[in-house]
Amino acid sequence: MYEELEYEFADFKHSFDEGSLVFGRWFDEDEYEDEYSHNEIDEYQEKFIEKVKEYLHEKAPNKYVVTSGWCVFVMTVEEAQKRNMLHIEELTVR
């Protein structure tokens, strides 16, 4: 699943580097559940989140929220506010 992690992260970076990332979702469990267990998917979602947070910490601190569920969501703080998300402060990458 390492290859999938690297693919998803490269896709995230491409979206971010284009400068148009307002809301995105990555590592959708539906795409991987035929090949991997939910435990493996959860593990790699967490690894993906760590990589994304490190990247955003360096490139855009205090501007993005990262959260997960059935996939990993990355959005601007403003978009999270528009969506009435809870715990925006705790989810914002510093």
Side-chain angles (χ1 to χ4, degrees):
M1 186 155 226
Y2 178 78
E3 290 174 9
E4 290 84 348
L5 171 67
E6 291 303 313
Y7 170 81
E8 295 278 356
F9 187 64
D11 186 54
F12 159 76
K13 284 191 339 184
H14 176 75
S15 295
F16 179 83
D17 292 342
E18 281 186 329
S20 61
L21 179 59
V22 174
F23 176 87
R25 60 182 85 152
W26 288 272
F27 235 104
D28 186 331
E29 69 183 24
D30 289 342
E31 292 180 28
Y32 299 109
E33 66 185 358
D34 289 341
E35 298 177 46
Y36 300 99
S37 72
H38 283 271
N39 287 341
E40 286 176 296
I41 296 168
D42 290 345
E43 176 185 344
Y44 275 86
Q45 280 182 338
E46 287 302 316
K47 289 179 181 187
F48 176 78
I49 289 169
E50 288 174 23
K51 288 179 72 111
V52 167
K53 284 182 173 181
E54 285 177 23
Y55 191 81
L56 291 174
H57 174 74
E58 291 179 19
K59 303 280 186 179
N62 303 311
K63 296 186 190 252
Y64 285 89
V65 169
V66 179
T67 188
S68 65
W70 50 271
C71 67
V72 177
F73 297 97
V74 180
M75 67 193 83
T76 62
V77 170
E78 293 81 13
E79 184 65 19
Q81 290 167 338
K82 287 180 190 174
R83 293 171 182 262
N84 296 317
M85 281 189 59
L86 301 174
H87 311 291
I88 293 172
E89 281 296 313
E90 295 94 26
L91 298 171
T92 300
V93 177
R94 306 279 177 209

